[in-house]
Amino acid sequence: NYYFQNMIANAIFRWPPQVLRFSASKLFHRRTHLGPNVSHSAFVECHPTAVSGVRGWSATTSSLPARRLWSRAVQLPCRVKSCLASLSSHAAADRDSESDGDEHDHSIAGKIYESQQSVRVVEVTQGGGSVTLNYYCDDGGTDKENMQNSTYHASWLWSNDPQRVMLPSGQRTSTPGQWFRNSGGNRRFILDANIVYCSLEQNDVENENSRVAHVPGPTLNDSCHPLAIYGQHKSWVKATFSSHKAFQSAVRRQNVRPYLHITWNHPGHSNASKISEINESYFDVEWLQRMSYDDMSRMKRRRGSEVQPIHAIRKSGPPLWRMRKSLQKESPSIVSEEPERNEDGLVHVNYSSILDSDGRILQSGLFHLLHTVFRDGAAIVSNTPVIDNHSTKHKTDNLSSDKIESLNEEQLPVAQLAKAMSGGALSHGALYGNIFHVRVGERDSNNVAYTSSSLCPHQDLAYYESPPGMQLLHCVAMGEAVIGGESTLIDALAAAYRLREVRPESFECLVRCPATFVKQRAGASMTYRRPHIVLAEDGSSDSGEMMENEIVAVHWSPPFEGPVMLPPGDIDRYYEAYSDFERILDVAVTSEECDEYDELSQYAKEFTWERKLSPGEVLVFNNRRMLHGRRAFSFGEGLGQRHLVGCYTNIDDTVNCYRVNLREMVLKGMEFGEPAPATLNVGNGTCIIP
């Protein structure tokens, strides 16, 4: 019938072509067959509507691991129910919009401020231990579906009270433990909670239902602080507020914002400290919503930060996330123009757009480079001079390899580029120097990189407690007679995500069992033990559930691995798991054992980027996320020189430089209230919050 046809149309419209590999005879009898290149959990992640409407099995709210979620929820009978429910809700929404006429403003600003008008206190639990808010969260569904409940505990609110933040540093003036020790053992609890609407304009007319108070200023979207420490707003704002309907009807105006007003119990102790005597608090609702920690909010935050195969660079073509962008609502752009991708699939940024002829940093070009590297994992800086022209008066054409090696940091463009990315400093120079030269015979070949042999995919300096963040390799010579020598890259975080899907037992072993990373030779003695795959800590005590946590780091460097120190029962299992991950990461291993139906081998073939660099190109990549390698090379007849100049930056300094630049771009190019794009995990063992 009519509704059944619309249900099928709705399903097909939401699924990309590569997913539509099922026949009509299978429609109501078995799960959808996705084919070898589409994973179950990736399907659930990219298409939460596939299981929406099934009570208790929503992809965005369920705590079930992705694979079990697939096996229990994504079945055609459930899909039918979901689509019928979706049709029903859309029909109801259409009727509502027709009856409301022109009363609703459907602009972005209207949505934002109408959502704030919808905030309400659901309940304060008995004993005042927590408060639950209900507010609008734009997930692309109906208004009713987008309403979300978030609970905030009294201990959390007390610890994050804006009055406990020191200005202008943002340091906290109390510790979380003080809530327990507060006032002679009498913990603070919530007596009352309500939403008040504050006008941030001092010339607003007061009435008998309003009063004036100081409230925390609105924060930028990257702020963990509950009040404005930086940005265009003051930390504390004198505001007129009320619960009166006149204020609620004016909430669409950008100067009117909802705040949660908390009234605390009196400590009732004569020796109560001054900080414990705070009896009321105001929280900006937008900040609370951004920092909410319920299951749904944490899942959304994870979807915005976890690196998946859809984000990885590939052998050919751009990352698959570009296909996903066309299937879902995009966040507002922070760049006026998306950089062009080269035929090799990477974004190429011109050196002159980052540093001018006098060595001054051009913020727009620097941001393009940082944004690309933190999004894709790698980029190429093109048209880079052999020597920094502004730092020398000498002729720079046809410099020999030995002459280049004699130059100092100030004369090398790759060093100036790295310093611009990190805020002014190079890093990790103890073993090979701040600047190192990759060519045959360098440093008496005390590293395999200084030979013509192949290099398997690896991270540099994995034996450090904190390995380098960015690595830059400037090609200053690539002779015509060089045969081979292609550079390779593969996204290790995305590969680990894939390993969990296809070999969960191997994934679990590499998370649980620490490897031994070693650098021992004349003048060096370094060891460090850590697992190959690191997951985010979320307080879960269930080891099975913990294996589904967000992947935040991968450590992989076969040339620098020593004897593992594991219980005897884990030894063989470790090497088997290692072999599985190696087949995903190393296309050379795949070529030796080519299996058309092997999912591990096929992944390595599709997602290994490979290209010979040309003089003037700088390959910039995130050493914490990407593995790099090299094909073996030889010299034919004629000029045969292969020379790369490299350096490192610290991951924390570089992330800081990027996020500060991102904040400035948001301030310059985005309207207040619009969200900044989520930052993907950088591979340093933690998630960026918010």
Side-chain angles (χ1 to χ4, degrees):
N1 60 33
Y2 173 80
Y3 286 101
F4 179 80
Q5 293 172 5
N6 277 274
M7 179 272 294
I8 296 298
N10 185 40
I12 293 176
F13 176 78
R14 296 182 181 185
W15 289 349
Q18 67 267 32
V19 177
L20 300 177
R21 298 180 179 177
F22 59 86
S23 62
S25 62
K26 297 178 181 177
L27 190 58
F28 293 111
H29 299 290
R30 61 187 68 181
R31 300 174 193 163
T32 306
H33 174 62
L34 299 179
N37 297 323
V38 183
S39 66
H40 295 170
S41 58
F43 175 82
V44 173
E45 283 286 324
C46 298
H47 303 275
T49 53
V51 290
S52 64
V54 184
R55 186 176 300 277
W57 278 340
S58 171
T60 59
T61 60
S62 177
S63 60
L64 287 172
R67 288 187 299 276
R68 277 184 279 167
L69 178 64
W70 169 265
S71 64
R72 297 185 188 183
V74 188
Q75 301 178 19
L76 268 300
C78 294
R79 182 66 176 136
V80 172
K81 295 178 183 178
S82 173
C83 291
L84 290 177
S86 177
L87 283 172
S88 176
S89 62
H90 282 299
D94 291 341
R95 289 194 299 270
D96 292 341
S97 61
E98 290 174 2
S99 62
D100 290 342
D102 295 329
E103 293 181 7
H104 292 286
D105 178 6
H106 294 288
S107 65
I108 293 177
K111 269 290 185 187
I112 292 172
Y113 291 99
E114 184 168 341
S115 72
Q116 294 179 348
Q117 187 178 12
S118 302
V119 178
R120 64 188 180 92
V121 175
V122 176
E123 67 170 346
V124 176
T125 57
Q126 186 175 4
S130 65
V131 59
T132 300
L133 301 184
N134 177 264
Y135 42 53
Y136 182 89
C137 183
D138 189 1
D139 278 341
T142 64
D143 288 342
K144 183 178 292 187
E145 292 170 346
N146 287 334
M147 296 308 294
Q148 174 183 332
N149 283 357
S150 285
T151 298
Y152 302 89
H153 292 76
S155 55
W156 189 93
L157 292 168
W158 188 93
S159 181
N160 289 285
D161 191 310
Q163 298 167 89
R164 295 186 169 84
V165 178
M166 178 183 291
L167 300 176
S169 67
Q171 293 168 285
R172 304 302 171 98
T173 59
S174 63
T175 71
Q178 283 183 262
W179 181 76
F180 284 90
R181 301 190 304 273
N182 171 29
S183 304
N186 295 323
R187 299 176 188 173
R188 304 302 294 271
F189 59 83
I190 301 169
L191 278 181
D192 190 27
N194 62 302
I195 299 295
V196 295
Y197 292 88
C198 296
S199 171
L200 304 186
E201 288 188 1
Q202 297 184 16
N203 58 357
D204 276 340
V205 178
E206 299 180 33
N207 56 56
E208 66 276 8
N209 296 308
S210 67
R211 62 189 179 96
V212 176
H214 285 83
V215 298
T219 59
L220 296 182
N221 287 285
D222 69 337
S223 178
C224 288
H225 298 303
L227 76 170
I229 301 294
Y230 48 83
Q232 73 270 48
H233 291 280
K234 295 180 179 179
S235 299
W236 290 96
V237 183
K238 185 178 180 181
T240 305
F241 69 92
S242 173
S243 297
H244 192 265
K245 291 183 178 180
F247 277 85
Q248 297 183 32
S249 63
V251 76
R252 291 169 187 260
R253 293 155 44 197
Q254 293 193 12
N255 66 311
V256 177
R257 303 176 65 80
Y259 282 78
L260 172 64
H261 176 223
I262 295 288
T263 302
W264 301 96
N265 70 308
H266 194 277
H269 192 273
S270 58
N271 295 324
S273 63
K274 182 178 179 181
I275 197 167
S276 299
E277 292 177 348
I278 295 174
N279 292 322
E280 62 178 0
S281 305
Y282 292 94
F283 294 90
D284 183 16
V285 167
E286 183 183 288
W287 181 84
L288 286 174
Q289 187 172 0
R290 192 166 67 241
M291 302 304 297
S292 55
Y293 51 89
D294 56 90
D295 289 345
M296 181 182 291
S297 297
R298 289 187 294 114
M299 179 63 75
K300 290 176 184 174
R301 197 173 290 123
R302 173 176 176 172
R303 288 208 312 268
S305 63
E306 186 167 29
V307 177
Q308 303 175 31
I310 199 171
H311 302 115
I313 60 174
R314 299 185 295 155
K315 180 179 180 180
S316 59
L320 294 171
W321 64 265
R322 284 187 165 272
M323 297 173 59
R324 178 175 176 178
K325 283 180 69 175
S326 64
L327 296 172
Q328 67 180 26
K329 180 180 177 181
E330 300 180 40
S331 297
S333 176
I334 56 170
V335 290
S336 57
E337 194 171 313
E338 179 73 15
E340 289 290 331
R341 288 186 182 272
N342 195 272
E343 293 179 356
D344 58 22
L346 292 185
V347 171
H348 287 222
V349 183
N350 199 297
Y351 180 87
S352 62
S353 70
I354 304 168
L355 293 164
D356 67 11
S357 57
D358 294 324
R360 289 190 297 263
I361 298 174
L362 305 176
Q363 292 299 328
S364 178
L366 175 62
F367 177 78
H368 276 290
L369 175 62
L370 288 168
H371 187 60
T372 300
V373 173
F374 280 111
R375 180 190 60 196
D376 296 347
I380 286 180
V381 177
S382 56
N383 300 315
T384 306
V386 173
I387 187 172
D388 195 4
N389 291 316
H390 84 277
S391 64
T392 181
K393 297 180 180 179
H394 300 294
K395 186 176 180 181
T396 62
D397 297 334
N398 301 319
L399 286 176
S400 68
S401 184
D402 292 335
K403 177 66 176 177
I404 293 172
E405 187 175 8
S406 68
L407 299 175
N408 59 42
E409 288 182 19
E410 300 302 321
Q411 295 173 301
L412 291 170
V414 68
Q416 300 311 305
L417 186 61
K419 289 179 179 180
M421 294 179 66
S422 64
L426 304 180
S427 72
H428 294 77
L431 293 179
Y432 301 102
N434 284 345
I435 300 295
F436 52 87
H437 297 262
V438 184
R439 57 181 178 173
V440 174
E442 183 70 18
R443 292 177 175 265
D444 297 326
S445 300
N446 66 355
N447 188 303
V448 69
Y450 302 145
T451 70
S452 60
S453 301
S454 62
L455 293 175
C456 64
H458 67 284
Q459 292 161 314
D460 276 8
L461 311 192
Y463 37 81
Y464 271 71
E465 183 275 333
S466 180
M470 297 297 132
Q471 182 168 178
L472 294 83
L473 293 172
H474 180 194
C475 179
V476 295
M478 187 67 72
E480 296 178 358
V482 175
I483 303 171
E486 294 85 357
S487 298
T488 66
L489 291 172
I490 189 166
D491 194 320
L493 292 180
Y497 190 97
R498 183 59 170 161
L499 180 69
R500 177 164 56 186
E501 293 177 329
V502 297
R503 294 289 192 277
E505 298 82 7
S506 295
F507 179 88
E508 184 270 342
C509 181
L510 297 182
V511 168
R512 183 174 50 82
C513 299
T516 304
F517 296 95
V518 176
K519 178 65 173 180
Q520 290 181 327
R521 58 165 170 77
S525 183
M526 304 177 71
T527 62
Y528 203 90
R529 296 182 70 231
R530 50 161 59 102
H532 288 290
I533 302 172
V534 180
L535 303 180
E537 297 286 347
D538 66 353
S540 173
S541 59
D542 186 330
S543 59
E545 294 291 334
M546 187 176 177
M547 287 300 131
E548 300 297 335
N549 286 0
E550 190 169 1
I551 300 168
V552 293
V554 169
H555 303 287
W556 190 264
S557 190
F560 299 97
E561 294 180 27
V564 292
M565 300 297 176
L566 300 174
D570 287 335
I571 293 293
D572 290 344
R573 183 70 197 95
Y574 167 81
Y575 286 107
E576 181 182 355
Y578 193 102
S579 176
D580 283 344
F581 200 22
E582 188 175 34
R583 284 159 62 198
I584 276 187
L585 295 172
D586 194 345
V587 71
V589 173
T590 297
S591 299
E592 296 171 2
E593 305 171 3
C594 184
D595 184 350
E596 183 180 356
Y597 301 101
D598 179 12
E599 294 177 288
L600 306 178
S601 302
Q602 293 303 316
Y603 185 92
K605 286 184 177 181
E606 181 180 355
F607 288 96
T608 297
W609 180 90
E610 179 176 334
R611 188 168 80 77
K612 183 182 290 187
L613 296 178
S614 299
E617 292 182 333
V618 180
L619 179 60
V620 183
F621 59 91
N622 181 354
N623 183 62
R624 296 294 192 93
R625 174 179 167 184
M626 310 296 292
L627 307 184
H628 67 288
R630 180 187 70 198
R631 297 283 172 256
F633 62 94
S634 59
F635 302 107
E637 296 181 359
L639 298 176
Q641 189 180 32
R642 185 184 188 275
H643 185 182
L644 306 181
V645 182
C647 59
Y648 304 117
T649 72
N650 176 277
I651 186 64
D652 300 303
D653 292 340
T654 313
V655 170
N656 176 65
C657 186
Y658 169 61
R659 296 203 79 194
V660 170
N661 273 271
L662 175 60
R663 180 195 300 165
E664 294 300 319
M665 295 297 290
V666 170
L667 286 173
K668 291 178 182 178
M670 303 180 74
E671 295 181 8
F672 180 71
E674 294 180 348
T679 302
L680 292 173
N681 288 337
V682 300
N684 63 343
T686 187
C687 308
I688 294 178
I689 301 295

